[in-house]
């Protein structure tokens, strides 16, 4: 048996070299026929094979097919078409004659379980899957109005948590598949577009606010499906890069038949989704005076400088005239978004194509923020011969992102903190009242980010013998980003100077995959699907920039035209490469027992000399219980499948040079450059490892009117990269070591119900995930060893503590307001009362109280106040998920998506300032609820204590649970009768909105927010739940029309 | 048919190209860093590595002035502006509560050991013999950098050397080899005070044996600066005869002279790279602004770049009235080196760090000829010294004459007078605190006159940074 195949293989190789020759000398005949669908219409592209031979054909546009040179005798034809059940037909072929086959009717496999799921390096029927993969369809992605597909995934897949970190278009989102998988390395998934791993980390100048996401270069409209690979059986095939999960993006490909041209246009408005509740101008001024009175401080004099030259007298006269500045309103506007796209798809039995172009123009709600994207997509597939097929996918994108300063970078960030009693302009209405104000910062600054992106591949497939296919693919990911920054001098400040920067980043990545796949059914019950591949992937990032300032003339814009002594520049190059051997085999017995094994061997430039290669195996099994005899009699339950998997995947999201030891150069001494050792090598440095066990039960009831799946996973991650501290006397402070451990475990539940299926259709998709993240080993590193901001160890943002999730808030517990005057003992860190006068402290009524780590009352004056921090709250939700309800009646359709996050907390450091910490900044209305002997039911201390510097405590740790009406869609298909009158194929009008409603108790701008850090970094893992001045989400309404020709 | 064959060819050629070039992707190609094994391959690389070692030595936390400041916070020369002291830093140092994690002290420890490790790397590369040529002078500089760094640590992180007493207490961690890998094998305990001083002396003697006798440049360690440091260490260690003889060698070298031009007196303590002519400097830190902006000027000098009130700065260290009272009215040092504050004339400032040149921080004179004279004078008169009172008087008189005050006679000379002269001469140069401990004199600070701090009080000694204690199980923390 084996030998026979070996011979045919050799034969085929020879065959390949000498070209096609006529070996068939025996007597043959022809077969012809037609394939139709349920409606009796011809089906194009159905693949027909003569069983037991390599002969076959595909149907043409009419559904007709013809197979010649079929040896005479009784034959069986096998008909295959994606989404349809396999069909067989017997026929007798006589030499020299054409046997006509009666038209074969193929039936759609109505069950969603027959859907094809994209897995790494191939596809598989959903029914046969042993792994855990969620698929998001093109409709769900294209119905979203967000500019980037990563945001469109929110709420669509169990186990996938998407948090948009910034409301500005083109910003990076934080995506976690089954929890945070790392501490010191990246935790974001691997993105693969049509088989090419792509750059996904944010690029740009973080100092100006936020970075731009390379994922925004992929046009969501061109996406056919997104498959989210979650468990080891699915991700281990991506080896050292699979542990954080993998997101496979498949773009749309052509379908043979009449060319379909579709035009789509929508336009809408963009506004801020939520704002905070601030005091108005007169309230703010009154508060200042009340505080001065209570604290017995000097009142403001008319000449007191309130901020940047605005005096109290000026503020008073501004307010007396009824003035009150809503600073967010000043820097915001009603934005506008429009998108126009045109696509064409079609082809014949040999060649199919999909070409599309889209232009999107989004003027954000922040002044001067604009995102424009022009993208083109060309996908072509060509069946050259029965055996040879090749094709290409080309994505070309150019975007111009006029970003603006936000967050701690100023601009919008400033606007969120200015008091309403500060006028925008001086009474002349021309000059700014404050020289340094957000309006100037947004208007006179240019921060234009241009990107040029190509994600493309070429492939060729050759069917060597039936079932055995060779495939070779070469893909590239080219990204060029230019940042053109010009900050015009502040004309109101004679000493200020303009500054300019020109920063360029180029990412060049390429991937080549060569593989053999084998598909075979033996004796009608053993089904084998095997894959063997070799892949090389490499990427280089090069960056350079020049910054200059102080120009001789305002017309000068280039950084090099600046004052010589102010010019600074940098350049760098990083690279990495992976070299991989990939194997997978799926075995199916009697269509109901499935087993899979996979193995990938990865080598990488990122790993230490002693650990260049690693192996990543997985095994999986599935059992379709409902097909067993004993289930025949179970009513209502039509489908039941149990699957489980176990495997190992790695996380290679570490710095490109993390394992190497370096010297660096720097200005040393006497103006001479010197060199010195800067990093110690760790030759053993390696990928982080995640072992994952997964079990799932899939069910279908009442002919799948109700289907559900329940899954449990346990993911144990070890060898996590941590900076191990070295004794400073060694001359080094730390070295990266693979030492940390954590685990993620949880339940994922998805349900789909078809509530009404007649004229009125109503279906519901629901998913919910309960994921628990727990750090089990930090190699003895103390919580403050993970401080991301060097906040003198007192900030309330995330830490890493054994027994708690990554990014755990670590704060002193707030005890509210003392209702009475009291005197309490003061305890030291060992729980003993301090000796002498330090041993007691007097507390006034209205004073805030805190609890020390033993639970005793203490005040903010405790000598070791911050040593009494304890882990509080949770950076991760207890559960999150999405629910989509879709309705359809005649030509109307309607759907909406609810996204919910429950049980997480955010440490809002800004709240400290908004609640009295700095009354020179805008205050929340909540501060007026301060404690008085009459108003005792409050957490806000008396005025004496709520203002001035306040300490970090759990008072500012807020419940950030929310429920959001994420998107809503209403569409109407204009009846065909009307449409055909104006010679159109189809026409549809629609209305959409996103972020329409949000229910939350969170008092900040937006509960869907993370701090402005790179999500794929240590700071992203640890400090994400401690945002500072972040930009809220947008609310968008659009109306659109789609026309088919 | 031909078309198809071409396609096959394309597939196969892709395969071939890829298999041939694949191993290259497993390499990292650095552009802004140097791989360890490529760092020092030529003598020019070695020279750059030496500048790298000086970079660590000139850190504010090693020789760049922080210790001068910390010493004055702990000793009795200064009238400290307490409101200038910062939390988690100088405030804790002043209050002697250094159990708290203080960044300043962590850096003091870390930067000194960075210098030591860089020096060890240089010594190791030269000893490996892979470079062609004679690198004795470079090796000598490296040994001296190491010794100076140890000595700075010894003075602040350890009890003073007890002359003729017990020196078995914990000293510094001595590292003889460069750190090339980790984390294993990096734990090391502290040597005794005796052995630590021994290591400093032997490293300096090694440096002296290697350094060229022909070469002198004030910004680099020369044989003379190495000898000057050796004299200082031996003097603190109580080896008075040897200290005196080494100091005399420096005095008698004929290269250095006390600055007698009183208009240039302030430039003795700090000059810039551009005006490096300082006849009495034995070792100057000639750093530029790009290398390092040390904070010493801001801590001591009231001179600010303001056209309205150029002497209106508010440094932390002001001159204690007790110090001013030590000088005779005619003393040039009082006349030229101290000045009252412009807005509050009752407060006096030292002008030793006034020498502001825009874009250039003052280059600090780390060790100068006057100290050699004071060592000779005091060592010769101390018990165990060589007893050469004539030489002692000659040195004493040199200092007094330069200051424009009466040197009196050899017969009148006493040890106490020399010690007083040392305080007057070296005030605010980082000498007083360690000198009080050397002389076993308890400390009464100007701002805290009710408290007498025993010279060997454990609270005076800085605590080792917690990073060292937690990552080095063999190390002993100070009490």
């Amino acid at each position: 048996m084996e030998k026979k195949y070996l011979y045919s293989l050799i034969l085929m190789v020879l065959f390949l070299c000498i070209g096609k020759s006529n070996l068939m000398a025996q007597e043959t005949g022809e077969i012809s026929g037609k394939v139709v669908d349920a409606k009796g219409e011809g089906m194009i592209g159905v693949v027909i094979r003569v069983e037991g031979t390599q002969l076959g054909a595909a149907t043409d546009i009419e559904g007709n097919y013809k197979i010649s040179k079929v040896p005479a005798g009784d034959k069986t034809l096998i008909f295959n078409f994606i989404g349809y059940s396999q069909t067989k037909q017997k026929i007798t072929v006589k030499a020299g004659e054409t046997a006509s086959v009666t038209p074969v009717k193929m039936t759609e496999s109505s069950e969603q379980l027959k859907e094809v799921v994209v897995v790494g390096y191939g596809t598989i029927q959903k029914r046969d899957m042993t792994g855990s993969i969620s698929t998001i369809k093109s409709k769900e992605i294209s119905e979203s109005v967000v500019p980037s597909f990563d945001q469109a995934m929110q709420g669509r897949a169990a186990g996938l948590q998407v948090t948009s970190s910034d409301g500005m278009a083109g910003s990076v989102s934080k995506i976690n598949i089954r929890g945070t998988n790392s501490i010191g390395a990246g935790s974001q998934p691997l993105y693969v577009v049509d088989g090419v791993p792509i750059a996904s980390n944010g690029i740009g100048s973080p100092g100006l606010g936020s970075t731009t996401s390379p994922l925004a270069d992929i046009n969501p409209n061109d996406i056919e499906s997104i498959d989210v690979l979650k468990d080891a059986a699915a991700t281990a095939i991506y080896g050292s890069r699979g542990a954080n999960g993998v997101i496979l993006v498949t773009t749309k490909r052509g379908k043979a038949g009449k060319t379909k041209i579709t035009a789509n246009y929508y336009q809408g408005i963009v506004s801020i989704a939520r704002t905070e509740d601030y005091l108005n101008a007169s309230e703010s001024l009154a508060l200042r005076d009340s505080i001065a009175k209570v604290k017995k401080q000097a009142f403001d004099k008319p000449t007191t400088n309130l901020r940047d030259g605005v005096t109290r007298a000026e503020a008073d006269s501004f307010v007396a005239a009824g003035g009150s500045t809503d600073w967010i309103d000043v820097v915001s506007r009603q934005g506008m978004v429009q998108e126009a796209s045109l696509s064409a798809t079609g082809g014949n039995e040999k060649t199919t194509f999909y070409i599309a172009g889209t232009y999107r123009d989004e003027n954000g709600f922040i002044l001067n923020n604009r995102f424009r994207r022009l993208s083109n997509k060309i996908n072509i597939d060509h069946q050259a011969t029965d055996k040879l097929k090749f094709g290409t996918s080309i994505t070309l994108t150019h975007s111009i992102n006029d970003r603006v300063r936000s967050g701690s970078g100023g601009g919008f960030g400033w606007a969120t903190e200015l008091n309403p009693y500060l006028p925008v302009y001086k009474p002349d209405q021309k000059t700014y009242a404050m020289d340094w104000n957000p309006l100037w910062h947004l208007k006179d600054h240019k921060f234009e980010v241009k990107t040029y992106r190509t994600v493309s591949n070429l492939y060729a497939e050759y069917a060597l013998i039936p079932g055995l296919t060779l495939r070779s693919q070469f893909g590239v990911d080219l990204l060029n980003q230019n940042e053109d920054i010009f900050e015009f001098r502040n004309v109101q400040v004679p000493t200020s100077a303009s500054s300019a920067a020109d920063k360029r980043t180029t990412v060049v990545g390429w991937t080549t995959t060569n593989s053999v796949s084998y598909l075979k059914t033996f004796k009608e019950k053993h089904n084998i699907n095997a894959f063997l591949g070799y892949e090389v992937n490499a990427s280089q990032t090069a960056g350079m920039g020049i910054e200059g300032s102080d120009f001789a003339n305002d017309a000068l814009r280039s950084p090099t035209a600046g004052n010589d002594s102010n010019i600074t520049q940098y350049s760098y190059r990083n690279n990495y490469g992976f070299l991989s051997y990939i194997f997978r085999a799926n075995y199916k017995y009697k269509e109901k027992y499935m087993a899979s094994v996979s193995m990938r061997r990865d080598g990488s430039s990122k790993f230490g000399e002693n650990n260049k290669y690693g192996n990543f195996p997985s095994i999986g099994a599935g059992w379709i219980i409902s097909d067993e005899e004993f289930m025949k009699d179970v009513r209502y339950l039509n489908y039941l499948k149990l699957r489980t998997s176990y495997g190992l995947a790695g996380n290679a999201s570490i710095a490109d040079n993390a394992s190497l030891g370096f010297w660096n150069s720097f200005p040393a001494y006497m103006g001479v450059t010197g060199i010195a050792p800067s990093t110690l090598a760790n030759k053993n440095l390696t990928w982080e490892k995640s072992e994952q066990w997964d079990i799932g039960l899939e069910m279908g009831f009442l002919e799948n009117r109700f289907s559900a799946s329940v899954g449990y996973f346990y993911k144990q991650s070890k060898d996590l990269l941590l900076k191990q501290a070295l004794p400073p006397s060694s001359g080094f402070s730390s070295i990266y070591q693979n030492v940390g451990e954590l685990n993620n475990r949880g339940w994922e539940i998805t349900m789909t119900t078809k509530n009404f299926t007649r004229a009125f259709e109503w279906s519901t998709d629901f998913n919910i995930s309960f994921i628990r993240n727990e750090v089990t080993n930090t190699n003895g590193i103390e919580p403050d060893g993970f401080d991301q901001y060097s906040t003198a160890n007192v900030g309330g943002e995330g830490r890493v503590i054994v027994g708690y999730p990554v990014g755990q808030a670590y704060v002193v517990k707030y005890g509210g307001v003392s209702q009475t005057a009291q005197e309490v003992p003061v305890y030291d860190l060992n729980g003993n009362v301090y000796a002498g006068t330090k041993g007691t402290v007097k507390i006034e009524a209205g004073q805030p109280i805190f609890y020390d780590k033993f639970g005793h009352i203490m005040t903010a004056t405790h000598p070791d106040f911050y040593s009494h921090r304890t882990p509080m709250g949770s950076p991760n939700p207890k559960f999150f998920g999405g629910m989509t309800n879709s309705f359809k009646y005649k030509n109307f359709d309607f759907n909406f998506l609810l996204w919910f996050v429950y049980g997480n907390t955010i440490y809002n450091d800004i709240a400290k300032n908004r609640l009295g910490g700095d009354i020179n900044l805008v205050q929340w209305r909540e501060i007026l609820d301060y404690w008085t002997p009459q108003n005792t039911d409050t957490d806000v201390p008396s005025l004496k204590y709520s203002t001035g510097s306040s300490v970090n405590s759990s008072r500012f740790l807020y419940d950030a649970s929310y429920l959001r009406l994420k998107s809503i869609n209403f569409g109407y298909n204009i009846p065909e009768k009307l449409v055909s009158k104006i010679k159109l194929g189809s026409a549809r009008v629609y209305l959409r909105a996103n972020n329409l409603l949000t229910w939350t108790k969170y008092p900040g701008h937006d509960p869907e927010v993370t701090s402005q850090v790179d999500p794929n970094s240590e700071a992203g893992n640890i400090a994400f739940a401690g945002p500072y001045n972040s930009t809220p989400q947008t609310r968008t309404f659009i109306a659109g029309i789609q026309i088919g020709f | 048919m031909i078309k198809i064959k071409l396609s096959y060819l394309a597939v196969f050629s892709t395969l071939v190209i890829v298999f041939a070039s694949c191993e290259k992707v497993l390499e990292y190609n650095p552009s802004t860093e140097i791989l360890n094994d490529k760092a020092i391959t030529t003598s020019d690389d070695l020279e750059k590595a030496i500048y790298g070692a000086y970079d660590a030595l000139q850190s504010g936390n090693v020789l760049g002035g922080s210790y001068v400041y910390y010493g004055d916070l702990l000793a009795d020369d200064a009238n400290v502006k307490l409101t200038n002291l910062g939390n988690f830093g100088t405030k804790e140092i002043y209050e002697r509560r250094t159990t708290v994690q203080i960044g300043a002290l962590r850096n003091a420890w870390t930067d000194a050991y960075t210098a030591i490790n860089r020096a060890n790397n240089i010594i190791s590369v030269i000893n490996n013999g892979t470079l062609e040529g004679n690198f004795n002078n470079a090796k000598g500089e490296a040994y001296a950098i190491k010794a100076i760094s140890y000595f700075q640590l010894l003075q602040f992180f350890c009890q003073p050397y007890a002359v003729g007493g017990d020196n078995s207490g914990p000293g510094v961690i001595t590292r003889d080899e460069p750190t090339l890998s980790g984390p294993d094998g990096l734990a090391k305990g502290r040597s005794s005070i005796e052995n630590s001083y021994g290591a400093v002396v032997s490293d300096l003697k090694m440096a002296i044996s290697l350094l060229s006798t022909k070469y002198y440049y004030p910004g680099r360690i020369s044989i003379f600066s190495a000898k000057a440091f050796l004299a200082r260490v031996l003097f603190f260690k109580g080896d008075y005869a040897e200290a005196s003889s080494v100091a005399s060698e420096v005095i008698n070298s004929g290269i250095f002279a006390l600055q007698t031009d009183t208009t240039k007196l302030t430039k003795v303590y700090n000059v810039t790279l551009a005006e490096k002519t300082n006849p009495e400097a034995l070792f100057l830190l000639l750093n530029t602004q790009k290398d390092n902006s040390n904070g010493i000027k801001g801590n001591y000098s009231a001179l600010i770049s303001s056209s309205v009130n150029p002497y209106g700065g508010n440094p932390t260290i002001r001159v204690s009235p007790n110090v001013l009272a030590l000088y005779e009215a005619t003393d040039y040092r009082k006349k030229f080196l101290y000045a009252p504050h412009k807005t509050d004339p009752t407060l006096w400032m030292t002008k030793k760090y006034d020498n502001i040149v825009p874009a250039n921080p003052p280059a600090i004179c780390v060790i100068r000829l006057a100290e050699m004279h004071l060592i000779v004078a005091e060592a010769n008169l101390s018990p165990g010294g060589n007893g050469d009172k004539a030489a002692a008087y000659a040195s004493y008189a040199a200092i007094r004459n330069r200051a424009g005050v009466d040197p009196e006679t050899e017969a009148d000379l006493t040890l106490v007078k020399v010690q007083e002269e040392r305080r007057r001469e070296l005030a605010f140069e980082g000498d007083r605190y360690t000198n009080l401990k050397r002389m076993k004199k308890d400390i009464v600070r100007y701002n805290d006159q009710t408290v007498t701090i025993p010279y060997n009080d454990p609270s005076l000694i800085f605590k080792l940074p917690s990073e060292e204690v937690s990552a080095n199980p063999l190390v002993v923390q100070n009490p």
Side-chain angles (χ1 to χ4, degrees), chain A residues 514 657 663 669 673 729-730, chain B residues 15 33-34 48 175 179 219 468:
Chain A
N514 295 292
N657 56 6
W663 287 49
Y669 181 59
T673 300
S729 64
S730 66
Chain B
L15 282 169
E33 317 103 325
I34 315 154
K48 291 288 189 295
R175 301 252 180 207
T179 301
E468 187 70 42

Side-chain angles (χ1 to χ4, degrees), chain A residues 71-134:
Chain A
D74 288 346
K75 301 288 169 200
T76 304
L77 298 180
I78 303 166
F79 298 79
N80 277 309
F81 194 73
I82 284 174
Y84 288 73
S85 310
Q86 192 183 66
T87 311
K88 290 184 181 179
Q89 178 81 36
K90 291 204 162 127
I91 181 91
T92 306
V93 180
K94 289 177 185 158
E97 288 181 25
T98 298
S100 280
V101 185
T102 49
V104 169
K105 188 193 259 187
M106 289 193 77
T107 50
E108 218 171 326
S109 44
S110 57
E111 301 158 83
Q112 49 167 310
L113 301 158
K114 286 276 167 70
E115 279 171 24
V116 166
V117 174
V118 180
V119 295
Y121 308 96
T123 55
I124 191 167
Q125 285 207 332
K126 194 167 180 184
R127 186 187 150 92
D128 296 346
M129 249 164 43
T130 56
S132 178
I133 297 173
S134 297

Side-chain angles (χ1 to χ4, degrees), chain B residues 408-427:
Chain B
E408 299 171 330
T409 62
E410 187 182 328
D412 291 335
L413 186 63
T414 63
L415 182 61
V416 173
K417 281 187 176 174
V418 176
Q419 287 173 342
E420 282 172 1
E421 198 56 42
R422 183 176 177 106
R423 185 180 182 188
R424 278 190 287 269
E425 179 67 25
L426 299 179

Side-chain angles (χ1 to χ4, degrees), chain A residues 251-255 346-354 378-384 388-393 457 459 461 471:
Chain A
T251 60
K252 289 177 179 164
R253 307 205 78 88
K255 286 192 188 92
N348 55 28
E349 63 272 29
K350 284 206 156 228
T351 308
T352 58
F353 66 92
Y354 170 85
I378 306 162
N379 282 357
I380 297 172
D381 300 285
H382 178 68
Q383 187 81 43
L388 182 69
K389 183 184 176 188
F390 52 83
T392 184
S393 302
N457 72 62
Y459 74 89
E461 271 178 16
R471 185 183 160 94

Side-chain angles (χ1 to χ4, degrees), chain A residues 500-537:
Chain A
D502 185 346
K503 300 177 181 182
R504 301 175 185 202
T505 314
T506 309
V507 184
V508 179
W510 58 267
T511 309
T512 170
T513 316
N514 295 292
S515 58
V516 186
S517 51
Y518 183 65
L519 196 71
K520 181 79 183 170
T521 306
F522 298 99
K523 295 184 178 162
E524 305 212 332
K525 50 189 177 192
H526 304 280
N527 194 302
I528 283 177
N529 182 349
F531 175 90
L532 185 65
Y534 173 76
E535 182 173 280
V536 184
N537 167 244

Side-chain angles (χ1 to χ4, degrees), chain A residues 584-646:
Chain A
R584 176 177 53 212
N586 290 330
Y587 171 74
K588 186 165 64 170
Y589 179 66
K590 284 188 168 171
E591 294 285 329
K592 58 185 174 190
Y593 306 105
M594 278 80 69
S596 71
V597 288
S598 79
M599 166 67 109
R600 179 168 176 136
R601 181 168 170 79
D602 261 358
S604 174
S605 60
K606 293 188 176 198
F607 308 149
E609 215 173 293
N610 301 342
N611 267 325
K612 273 284 168 213
Y613 284 88
N615 299 325
F616 302 90
S618 82
I619 50 170
W623 176 26
I624 298 178
I625 304 169
S626 50
D627 281 9
E628 294 291 349
E629 279 300 311
F630 60 82
M631 293 292 287
K632 278 263 147 64
D633 300 331
V634 180
R635 295 174 70 193
Y636 309 123
L637 180 73
N638 62 304
Y639 179 69
L640 183 66
K641 176 181 157 191
L642 179 69
R643 59 171 167 74
T644 183
S645 74
Y646 176 81

